[in-house]
Amino acid sequence: MILTVTLNTALDLTYRVPALVPHAAHHVEEVTERPGGKGVNVARVLAALGHSTVVTGFAGGRTGEVLRELLAPLAPVDALVPVAGTTRRTIAVVDAATGDTTQLNEPGPHITAEDWEAFLAAYEPLLRGADAVALCGSLPPGVPVGAYADLIRRARAAAVPVLLDTSGEPLRRGLAARPDLIKPNLDELARLTGSREPLRAARDARRRGARTVVASLGPEGLLAVTPEGVWQAVPPAPVRGNPTGAGDSAVAALLSSLVEGLPWPARLTRAVALSTATVLAPAAGEFDPAAYEELLPGVRVSEHPA
């Protein structure tokens, strides 16, 4: 089983409009509603890949109820912890004319000390049945900024490999707990290390505590700095579409490859093909299976000199 943690779950709304024009009223052509938050997206993709997954984190209010109702018929197991506050919404507005997406993210509910203790009481038993755990996304108000560091230490004590996908101070604090893998994008990596040169920044992040760093390079694919070597994987060609959830699909690919014991070039090939196929899908947290199969053989992986 793979466990995904989403402390700041969300109800993902995607609006598709003919063209997004500032200061104008818009006719929405299509609306999709999905259970979301980074770890929930990761779990849904893992389930589509055939892996047993469990989702935990917080859910509350009417939005949280809708999220759980939408999650119920899907494959991931719901182990979300109820709270009194209301789960946030995220709104993606897709401009059909350009293919660009505008994202609006609410902050999330306030988490009390009692809520946090209830989560920790649920987290520990879930770890005992996990082959890997992913800690994903932002922290809702009230959660300690060092929360991910605490969760990483608990996972390491249980001998469970842990992937951390967050940013800012939670990422900085989390590195000190020595996660097995982090997956920042270039901006997150630059804010962490002060360098915008990907290879230098990724190596710096490893020195700060991450065993492996897989950096998202946008259209240039993924850069992996690992104890076994350094690789870059590039998609066959640039694509346009909705990038929401593409990074989450890359995390799902990395986790599935980890538990399957694949070598790094194969892990990166899967991650790039899956994230690219997600850009081509109409809604967040989904991927186009046919596009994924077509993309796999075209992903180019090159090894950097040590």
Side-chain angles (χ1 to χ4, degrees), residues 175-274:
L175 279 180
R178 306 187 66 80
D180 294 275
L181 173 62
I182 64 170
K183 196 213 66 63
N185 60 34
L186 280 179
D187 288 341
E188 293 163 349
L189 199 54
R191 288 196 297 270
L192 175 69
T193 66
S195 174
R196 295 202 67 85
E197 200 288 308
L199 185 55
R200 179 182 303 160
R203 283 176 168 156
D204 187 1
R206 282 202 71 220
R207 286 191 292 270
R208 292 167 186 249
R211 186 171 188 271
T212 293
V213 178
V214 177
S216 297
L217 308 181
E220 300 302 315
L222 296 173
L223 174 70
V225 180
T226 83
E228 291 81 24
V230 179
W231 290 270
Q232 183 172 348
V234 181
V239 297
R240 299 184 71 175
N242 182 0
T244 307
D248 304 331
S249 288
V251 169
L254 294 169
L255 282 170
S256 63
S257 301
L258 168 68
V259 300
E260 293 171 28
L262 298 182
W264 272 106
R267 297 186 195 190
L268 296 174
T269 296
R270 179 181 290 182
V272 167
L274 199 55

Side-chain angles (χ1 to χ4, degrees), residues 1-2 5 52 65-66 78 81 89 99 134 138 142 160 162 172 177 205 207 214 235 237 265 271 275 298-299 301:
M1 177 268 282
I2 299 176
V5 174
S52 172
E65 291 175 6
V66 174
D78 177 354
V81 176
R89 295 165 298 178
S138 61
V160 178
V162 56
R172 193 181 307 276
R207 286 191 292 270
V214 177
S275 60
V299 176
V301 181

Side-chain angles (χ1 to χ4, degrees), residues 52-64:
S52 172
T53 61
V54 174
V55 173
T56 192
F58 297 111
R62 179 55 190 153
T63 311

